[in-house]
Amino acid sequence: MDELKSKRDDVKRMVDTAERQGMEATSQVKWWLECVAKLEDAAARINGEYQTRLQLPPDQAAGVKATYLLSQKADEMLSEATGLKEKGAFHKVADELVQVRFEEMPSVPVVGMGALLHELDACVRGSDVGVVGIYGMAGVGKTALLNKFNNEFLISSQDINVVIYIVVGKEFSLDDIQKIIGDRLGVSWENRTPKERAGVLYRVLTKMNFVLLLDDLWEPLNFRMLGIPVPKQNSKSKIIVSTRIEDVCDRMDVRRKLKIECLPWEPAWELFREKVGEHLMRASKDIRHHAQELAMKCGGLPLALITVGRAMASKHTAKEWKHAITVLKIAPWQLLGMEPCSR
């Protein structure tokens, strides 16, 4: 067992060195290390039982049968240890991690955000900004912007090794975020504590150019506890966070903040017409007048424009449109398909 443990320590040192270089132990090496650990425990139990018997007075000494059985167990352990020692000659102990470079996200057309998309692209391609913050009220289009940027801008970048998109939300946990990142990087989490996982993530991410998109943050994240290296100046790696709360950006090392405003009238009216459908343009003057009034009451908020527009797509009479305006004034949740806040 002493010889086997010495070999185990040598293999573990080689694995640790490989992991620091962004690699991961092969399945064969992991299995071998587990077998050695189990055998070590079993051998310790046999030796402990033997030492206990040596301390017994002569009148309580174990009989011949018990001694034989213990000796038989020791022989089995010896044979297994010899076999494991022979199997411990590995040609290689670790492989390069296999990561999914890019994942397309479900997206919707964005209106009036062209300039913002190009500004975000300039931040990511520039060298002076490591962490970018996007903030704005609920429904203003932060997620739609990130999805569009992920699908159409980042996929064409040849300098980025991996893009990871995570919807954090209110009920997030550090373990869940670590697991999502680890799965994308091809890292195994078996028998690792959160601190150990953070160390592995940090070692892997510092060896590559990554873009991490963290959507819908409600409070600051501790990058150090997660194992996410904060990109330094001149780094091609970037972190982009989106939140409703500007203070979250200020407390997360954000070096550039982009605020998403509600849409001005022309793009808002364009988005609303698109969701209602072509029949709106052929409708009567009364319906078009009611439609414009309804769109104005959405205040340029993309989510409201989309939801109300879709709700009105099947309405073809002026009476229905006028009623919708009244509903939006008195009980907007009925038109938007939501529950009232007082419930």
Side-chain angles (χ1 to χ4, degrees):
M1 280 306 303
D2 287 340
E3 292 177 2
L4 183 60
K5 285 189 284 186
S6 295
K7 193 171 193 66
R8 184 269 319 273
D9 292 342
D10 290 339
V11 171
K12 288 187 74 172
R13 268 195 299 274
M14 289 188 286
V15 169
D16 291 341
T17 300
E19 287 182 343
R20 285 195 293 272
Q21 297 172 353
M23 304 174 73
E24 186 174 23
T26 64
S27 298
Q28 188 181 24
V29 168
K30 290 178 183 177
W31 170 83
W32 185 83
L33 290 172
E34 289 175 2
C35 289
V36 173
K38 291 177 182 177
L39 185 63
E40 185 178 3
D41 290 340
R45 287 194 296 272
I46 291 175
N47 189 53
E49 186 177 344
Y50 176 69
Q51 295 298 331
T52 300
R53 291 186 180 191
L54 290 179
Q55 306 301 321
L56 293 174
D59 58 329
Q60 297 179 18
V64 174
K65 182 178 180 181
T67 301
Y68 170 75
L69 290 175
L70 185 62
S71 178
Q72 190 176 43
K73 286 181 182 179
D75 281 341
E76 291 171 358
M77 293 296 103
L78 178 61
S79 176
E80 189 173 347
T82 301
L84 284 174
K85 185 182 172 187
E86 292 173 354
K87 292 177 181 178
F90 298 104
H91 179 64
K92 63 175 182 177
V93 298
D95 289 319
E96 295 288 344
L97 291 173
V98 179
Q99 62 248 180
V100 179
R101 179 181 174 271
F102 176 86
E103 283 186 341
E104 187 170 355
M105 301 299 295
S107 64
V108 296
V110 296
V111 178
M113 292 188 182
L116 204 57
L117 278 167
H118 287 289
E119 188 175 359
L120 181 57
D121 187 49
C123 290
V124 170
R125 297 187 187 281
S127 60
D128 58 335
V129 178
V131 185
V132 182
I134 299 170
Y135 70 99
M137 64 187 295
V140 80
K142 299 182 296 297
T143 297
L145 178 75
L146 282 185
N147 287 343
K148 179 88 169 178
F149 186 68
N150 176 76
N151 294 351
E152 297 186 15
F153 285 75
L154 294 178
I155 191 173
S156 62
S157 177
Q158 300 301 315
D159 295 331
I160 299 172
N161 301 119
V162 64
V163 178
I164 304 173
Y165 192 120
I166 303 175
V167 180
V168 181
K170 248 182 179 179
E171 304 299 326
F172 76 92
S173 74
L174 295 182
D175 285 352
D176 289 341
I177 296 174
Q178 283 185 324
K179 189 176 187 307
I180 292 172
I181 297 174
D183 288 345
R184 286 296 308 282
L185 297 177
V187 175
S188 172
W189 290 136
E190 293 180 15
N191 304 319
R192 280 177 172 156
T193 65
K195 186 175 181 180
E196 290 171 337
R197 292 198 295 263
V200 173
L201 287 183
Y202 189 87
R203 288 194 294 270
V204 174
L205 289 172
T206 50
K207 300 293 182 182
M208 60 176 62
N209 297 326
F210 68 91
V211 174
L212 180 61
L213 303 167
L214 299 169
D215 190 19
D216 194 24
L217 288 183
W218 286 77
E219 59 184 84
L221 290 178
N222 188 320
F223 291 139
R224 182 183 59 79
M225 289 183 64
L226 284 167
I228 300 171
V230 177
K232 299 177 181 178
Q233 196 167 11
N234 299 322
S235 171
K236 292 182 179 179
S237 294
K238 306 292 175 183
I239 299 173
I240 303 173
V241 303
S242 83
T243 178
R244 303 179 187 185
I245 310 160
E246 184 179 3
D247 181 61
V248 170
C249 294
D250 296 332
R251 295 162 60 192
M252 288 188 63
D253 294 317
V254 166
R255 292 294 172 262
R256 182 70 179 276
K257 292 188 295 185
L258 304 177
K259 182 178 182 180
I260 301 185
E261 305 278 4
C262 291
L263 296 174
W265 170 246
E266 287 300 331
W269 176 233
E270 177 188 341
L271 178 60
F272 186 80
R273 290 201 319 263
E274 178 190 324
K275 296 307 171 184
V276 174
E278 293 182 2
H279 72 273
L280 178 59
M281 302 312 297
R282 301 190 299 268
S284 66
K285 286 185 178 180
D286 285 344
I287 288 180
R288 288 201 299 271
H289 174 74
H290 293 322
Q292 288 182 340
E293 185 178 351
L294 202 57
M296 285 182 179
K297 290 188 179 299
C298 292
L301 193 64
L303 180 60
L305 289 161
I306 292 170
T307 306
V308 174
R310 286 172 175 167
M312 299 307 297
S314 60
K315 312 303 180 186
H316 298 276
T317 67
K319 184 178 180 181
E320 289 175 310
W321 280 87
K322 188 174 182 180
H323 176 68
I325 295 172
T326 303
V327 171
L328 194 60
K329 288 179 181 177
I330 300 173
W333 58 85
Q334 293 182 9
L335 192 61
L336 299 175
M338 300 182 298
E339 292 293 324
C341 295
S342 58
R343 289 188 184 177

